[in-house]
Amino acid sequence: MSQNVQLHRGRPRSEEVHQAILKVALDQVSKIGFRALSIESIAEAARVGKTTIYRRWPNKAAVVMDAFLVHVSPRAVFPTMPRAVDSIRSQLHAQAKLFRSKTGKLISSLLGEAQFDSELKKAFRERWILPRRQLARETIEKAIEQGDLRKDISIETMIDMLYGPFYYRLQLETDPMPDAYADDIFNSIMNGNAQLK
């Protein structure tokens, strides 16, 4: 009986440690950047041993990506609406809002650092970019099925055209990204790819 109680009490502790490590990793990468971050600094700030971290993650890129995804995922959901084209428009608005926030600066920082760190580049691509491209691909395919987009469009090119401008402005900081900008992108691309009625 006492064994069961001890096991039950052990789980929340483990989860608390897990969440504490993620919070520290996110705080530190936001303050000092990915390059200056280390497993040692995360362990020290979270008051855990390095082995505790390495039991959960293979490297600091994996820790940072988990922390980033826990922080950002609830705000980066691809909305589901009856018409897929409306889902695309709504998601572009969500993208603009996200990139205007502090999280946008974090994404920009991680993208920049990914050019110099192959582990971060791989983690960012596989865990952030590719899953979102797949959601966009499925939504565009549904819009084609619903008759709102031409059947002959290149879906991959359309994804680049929809989201490329956001990353361009985010990285180069050329202009702000209000909702009107998301509407401009949506209207410009849809006007060229809409199925003629």
Side-chain angles (χ1 to χ4, degrees):
M1 182 71 174
S2 62
Q3 265 188 329
N4 290 338
V5 172
Q6 286 173 357
L7 287 172
H8 180 72
R9 286 179 180 167
R11 289 190 196 106
R13 236 179 107 197
S14 179
E15 181 59 24
E16 285 169 15
V17 167
H18 190 87
Q19 293 305 320
I21 292 169
L22 293 180
K23 184 179 186 309
V24 164
L26 190 66
D27 289 345
Q28 287 199 350
V29 79
S30 299
K31 288 174 185 172
I32 64 175
F34 182 80
R35 239 178 292 191
L37 184 70
S38 68
I39 292 293
E40 289 78 7
S41 67
I42 296 171
E44 184 179 350
R47 297 181 180 178
V48 298
K50 288 189 294 181
T51 54
T52 300
I53 296 176
Y54 281 121
R55 275 199 299 268
R56 293 168 167 82
W57 298 278
N59 51 55
K60 70 175 183 177
V63 184
V64 168
M65 281 310 301
D66 265 6
F68 169 70
L69 291 172
V70 166
H71 169 71
V72 78
S73 286
R75 293 179 291 155
V77 174
F78 213 106
T80 302
M81 297 182 176
R83 304 303 298 182
V85 289
D86 293 330
S87 294
I88 295 169
R89 183 194 289 271
S90 180
Q91 210 283 323
L92 292 181
H93 278 253
Q95 185 92 350
K97 183 178 180 181
L98 182 69
F99 279 16
R100 288 195 302 264
S101 71
K102 289 181 181 179
T103 301
K105 291 181 180 177
L106 177 58
I107 293 172
S108 179
S109 172
L110 291 176
L111 276 172
E113 294 292 347
Q115 308 313 306
F116 305 98
D117 189 286
S118 59
E119 289 175 345
L120 179 61
K121 185 175 185 177
K122 181 181 178 183
F124 198 88
R125 182 175 184 273
E126 291 182 354
R127 301 190 61 199
W128 172 256
I129 298 295
L130 293 183
R132 277 146 190 80
R133 284 189 74 91
Q134 180 59 29
L135 288 172
R137 190 178 297 114
E138 291 168 0
T139 307
I140 291 170
E141 288 171 349
K142 187 174 180 182
I144 293 171
E145 290 171 9
Q146 290 177 336
D148 291 324
L149 291 175
R150 299 195 330 258
K151 292 181 180 179
D152 63 340
I153 63 171
S154 166
I155 293 177
E156 297 305 316
T157 300
M158 188 171 192
I159 293 171
D160 291 342
M161 291 168 65
L162 284 167
Y163 295 98
F166 289 99
Y167 284 93
Y168 177 85
R169 284 200 177 187
L170 180 71
Q171 288 296 91
L172 299 184
E173 298 181 344
T174 54
D175 288 290
M177 284 183 271
D179 287 345
Y181 179 63
D183 286 330
D184 285 345
I185 293 171
F186 177 85
N187 291 331
S188 297
I189 294 169
M190 291 301 159
N191 285 344
N193 292 286
Q195 176 66 43
L196 295 176
K197 302 294 184 182

